[in-house]
Amino acid sequence: MLAYSRVAIIGMGLIGSSLARAIRARLPTVRLTVSDASPEVRARVAALDLADDVADGAGAAVIDAELVILAVPVGAMAAVARDIAADLAPGAVVSDVGSVKARVLADLTDALPGVIVIPAHPVAGTEKSGPDAGFASLFADRWCILTPPPQVDAWQVTRLGDFWTAVGARVEVMDAHHHDRVLAVTSHLPHLIAYSIVGTASDLEAVTQSEVIKYSAGGFRDFTRIAASDPVMWRDVFLANREAVLELLGRFTEDLVALQRAIRWSDGETLEALFTRTRAIRRSIIDQGQDTEEPDFGRKH
Ligand code: NAP
């Protein structure tokens, strides 16, 4: 299988810079050119020596790349794709790391007619943003989901999958719409709930802000980690995955009302049955190596 020898990354925040570090660490022969809209980010990336070249513009960065990866917020994908269209080398593969896939597939396909587009989503991240937040092992043992359109040759999909495997990820191929429904459950709704709970707690009048913070180890602080995630990135995720999130939110609201009823009617059996089931889900996540077994996420006490 043909490995890529020249790769370009556009967008050097948490994910782009982590990928650059992983390429540096695990694929040292790859020639890596990167760019970012922000001059401060470009300067920081150059200072951190994360790439062979830091180009001023996206077009200049992609000029001879065999693989171009867009690591910008989902809402910026279309504009970046239009920006690079005229500069892409013949046969170049354009991919991305966006958290929503059907919208990005449509945006990239529209902006890049005749170009090989294979969207991807590494299901790995933190609540931090920017090039200093990245680290080389971010993708190790995490899933990277590829959502190729049907017309793309299978060997091109395998080639991109091999690239992600080389930087440490496990690879899965999925339909873009299916991806969006799965991620609505595992990522988008949990983020929405966290944003909402943290917002509600900070609006309460009966409990002071300082009490919320002081006693946060009771559970609240685990929501605050998720609710500290990048506002622009998450704004774009909800706008781009509207249907799947709204459908799931309807279901979640019903389940929440059922719990409300169980509490009102002192129905301990219903509560205990649910809490027992959810504890088993936590066990499966640990068994599959997707989190640490250490109590309290391994925090030092
Ligand atoms: P980030 O740390 O905020 O980085 C995004 C970078 O892209 C910023 O430096 C931003 O510059 C730059 N950018 C924005 N618009 C651009 C444009 N038009 N052209 C060039 N650069 C542009 O965000 P991130 O967490 O790395 O997220 C990047 C992508 O990865 C998103 O699509 C997100 O959905 C996906 N993703 C994120 C996670 C996660 O946990 N964070 C996980 C998996 C996938 P400015 O700061 O100047 O705007």
Side-chain angles (χ1 to χ4, degrees):
M1 189 58 53
L2 271 175
Y4 307 104
S5 53
R6 292 182 304 278
V7 174
I9 302 174
I10 311 301
M12 283 295 283
L14 169 71
I15 302 294
S17 76
S18 293
L19 186 55
R21 288 174 170 96
I23 291 171
R24 285 288 223 209
R26 294 174 179 249
L27 296 168
T29 59
V30 165
R31 180 163 181 83
L32 180 63
T33 307
V34 304
S35 191
D36 193 285
S38 151
E40 290 79 28
V41 171
R42 294 200 298 272
R44 190 65 192 135
V45 167
L48 291 167
D49 193 25
L50 295 183
D52 296 298
D53 277 309
V54 182
D56 282 348
V62 305
I63 233 147
D64 63 355
E66 296 160 332
L67 172 64
V68 175
I69 298 184
L70 310 186
V72 299
V74 166
M77 296 283 180
V80 178
R82 283 194 294 272
D83 214 24
I84 61 171
D87 296 298
L88 287 170
V93 173
V94 175
S95 188
D96 75 301
V97 295
S99 307
V100 177
K101 297 277 55 104
R103 168 66 65 82
V104 171
L105 175 60
D107 284 353
L108 297 188
T109 313
D110 281 356
L112 302 167
V115 172
I116 303 157
V117 170
I118 311 177
H121 176 205
V123 186
T126 74
E127 69 280 20
K128 299 275 171 42
S129 311
D132 285 290
F135 51 97
S137 60
L138 178 64
F139 310 108
D141 285 329
R142 297 287 167 258
W143 288 101
C144 182
I145 302 172
L146 310 186
T147 62
Q151 70 273 18
V152 169
D153 288 338
W155 72 268
Q156 293 277 17
V157 179
T158 308
R159 187 186 188 196
L160 183 63
D162 287 349
F163 166 81
W164 277 102
T165 307
V167 293
R170 305 195 223 169
V171 172
E172 190 96 75
V173 177
M174 211 182 269
D175 166 77
H177 287 282
H178 185 66
H179 165 280
D180 290 353
R181 295 168 84 103
V182 172
L183 268 291
V185 179
T186 60
S187 173
H188 307 170
L189 187 66
H191 274 80
L192 197 70
I193 293 168
Y195 281 125
S196 145
I197 286 182
V198 176
T200 303
S202 73
D203 289 344
L204 286 178
E205 277 143 24
V207 182
T208 65
Q209 284 260 1
S210 66
E211 282 175 313
V212 168
I213 290 160
K214 185 169 166 188
Y215 302 118
S216 65
F220 180 70
R221 73 175 180 197
D222 291 342
F223 285 100
T224 63
R225 184 193 72 75
I226 300 181
S229 300
D230 193 77
V232 172
M233 170 194 154
W234 282 96
R235 175 202 67 194
D236 286 3
V237 167
F238 292 113
L239 296 180
N241 199 22
R242 188 166 164 258
E243 278 78 25
V245 170
L246 287 178
E247 189 187 319
L248 190 65
L249 207 50
R251 177 77 183 262
F252 172 73
T253 312
E254 279 177 29
D255 291 347
L256 203 57
V257 170
L259 281 179
Q260 193 178 16
R261 190 179 309 115
I263 294 169
R264 179 178 306 119
W265 293 104
S266 301
D267 177 1
E269 217 174 292
T270 295
L271 297 175
E272 193 180 332
L274 174 69
F275 302 163
T276 305
R277 196 152 58 85
T278 55
R279 193 175 222 194
I281 290 172
R282 172 78 191 153
R283 184 73 253 160
S284 314
I285 291 170
I286 293 163
D287 289 347
Q288 290 183 29
Q290 297 301 301
D291 204 356
T292 172
E293 179 147 36
E294 305 256 312
D296 200 15
F297 307 128
R299 285 187 178 108
K300 303 273 170 280
H301 289 281

